[in-house]
């Protein structure tokens, strides 16, 4: 097979919506993937006329306009776990019950609620998750004691957690015990750890916006398809996304992998689009 052209096998499988690239790598290693009836060699690429199968079932290529992709906004309730592992109780996939194979973009902790995207498009997952793209994520947070001006300033300036200092961010008071914070990074349990460092405990945390997309009228447990305008705004926001992080990008763990799928799946599975891309435009809800 000519490896000078075509698409890498794991990318082809991921873009089909079957699983993530990391999941595809596992399937390839296990000998469950074939190209034209033959086990592929390492580094094999898929050409336009090739037939790719997983466990004997043919995998369709993604249409150029991604017309078969699913893009959802979901108001995750407290108690739902952002994992694709179906044997985990209260996993986000069963909670939504979508007919297509989808996976979350990023995560929200089990005790947190609010907006999260889910999709069958592995390519846009990679782009959105890259921290250097500095996509806004807005949260409304309630803490266990009155908020001081010093607390707001320290949160905004940066707090030492997980072996690094959080990036400067926007923080504003909403009420005596409630503040709003806009982050452009997503360290593990970042807001809770930041508050804890300053002597506060988070009692409620809700994500209300990702980039330009707000949670709107979605009640906890409801989801809807992202509309054409929202998908255009997302695509515009990730248009300049690169495949690797810049050299000065700060990491919590210097040994962690750059591949965002490897990062997110390691986190999610622990118990404890292109131009004018759209999903289905009808509004749906599921309680």
């Amino acid at each position: 097979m000519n490896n000078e052209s075509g698409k890498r096998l794991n990318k082809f499988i991921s873009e089909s919506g079957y699983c993530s690239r990391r999941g595809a790598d596992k399937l390839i290693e296990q000998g469950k993937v074939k190209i034209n009836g033959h086990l592929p060699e390492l580094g094999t690429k898929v050409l336009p006329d090739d037939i790719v199968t997983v466990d004997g079932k043919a995998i369709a290529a993604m249409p150029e306009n991604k017309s078969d992709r699913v893009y959802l906004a979901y108001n995750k309730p407290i108690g739902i776990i952002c994992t694709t592992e179906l044997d985990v109780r209260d996993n986000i996939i069963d909670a939504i019950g979508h007919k297509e194979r989808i996976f979350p973009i990023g995560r929200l902790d089990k005790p947190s609620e609010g907006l999260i995207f889910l999709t069958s498009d592995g390519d846009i997952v990679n782009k959105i998750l890259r921290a250097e793209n500095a996509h806004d994520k807005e949260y409304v947070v309630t803490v266990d004691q009155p908020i001081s001006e010093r607390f707001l300033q320290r949160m905004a300036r940066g707090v030492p957690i997980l072996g690094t200092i959080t990036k400067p961010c926007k923080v504003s008071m909403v009420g005596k015990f409630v503040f709003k914070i806009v982050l452009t990074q997503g360290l593990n349990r970042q807001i809770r750890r930041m508050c804890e460092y300053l002597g506060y405990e988070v009692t409620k945390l809700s994500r209300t916006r990702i980039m330009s997309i707000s949670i709107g009228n979605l009640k906890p447990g409801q989801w809807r398809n992202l509309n054409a305008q929202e998908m255009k705004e997302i695509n515009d926001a990730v248009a300049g996304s690169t495949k690797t992080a810049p050299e000065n990008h700060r990491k919590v763990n210097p040994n962690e992998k750059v591949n965002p799928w490897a990062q997110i799946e390691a986190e999610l599975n622990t118990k404890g689009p292109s131009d004018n891309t759209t999903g289905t435009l009808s509004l749906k809800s599921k309680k």
Side-chain angles (χ1 to χ4, degrees), residues 97-142:
H98 199 277
K99 64 180 181 179
E100 300 293 336
R101 185 189 297 267
I102 56 176
F103 27 80
I105 304 177
R107 74 190 301 273
L108 275 172
D109 295 328
K110 182 177 180 180
S112 302
E113 64 181 3
L115 182 63
I116 187 169
F117 296 154
L118 295 99
T119 185
S120 60
D121 181 359
D123 183 52
I124 200 169
V125 172
N126 292 333
K127 292 178 179 179
I128 291 178
L129 288 183
R130 290 175 191 127
E132 69 270 23
N133 292 316
H135 303 311
D136 285 357
K137 297 179 291 294
E138 180 182 88
Y139 303 81
V140 175
V141 186
T142 304

Side-chain angles (χ1 to χ4, degrees), residues 137-155:
K137 297 179 291 294
E138 180 182 88
Y139 303 81
V140 175
V141 186
T142 304
V143 290
D144 64 339
Q145 56 183 298
I147 296 169
S148 67
E149 185 63 29
R150 178 180 179 275
F151 170 81
L152 296 176
Q153 293 175 354
R154 290 292 305 277
M155 290 287 286

Side-chain angles (χ1 to χ4, degrees), residues 20 30 38 48 67 103 108 188-189 216 218 227 231 282:
S20 70
Q30 294 167 357
H38 302 286
S67 59
F103 27 80
L108 275 172
N188 181 262
R189 297 175 65 86
L218 280 181
N227 61 42
M231 290 309 305
S282 60

Side-chain angles (χ1 to χ4, degrees), residues 3 15 43 55 80 83 141 143 149 164 178 196 203 225 229 241 255 272:
N3 287 332
E15 288 184 349
D55 287 330
I80 297 300
T83 178
V141 186
V143 290
E149 185 63 29
T164 188
V178 183
E196 181 181 355
T203 59
N225 293 281
Q229 180 59 35
S241 178
N255 295 318

Side-chain angles (χ1 to χ4, degrees), residues 208-223:
T208 56
R209 179 173 61 85
I210 301 174
M211 292 184 280
S212 63
I213 315 301
S214 296
I215 199 165
N217 296 323
L218 280 181
K219 297 178 180 179
Q222 290 185 328
W223 61 268

Side-chain angles (χ1 to χ4, degrees), residues 80-81 83 85-96:
I80 297 300
I81 302 174
T83 178
E85 295 293 322
L86 299 183
D87 60 341
V88 176
R89 184 178 180 180
D90 297 323
N91 70 80
I92 193 170
I93 304 304
D94 284 343
I96 292 177

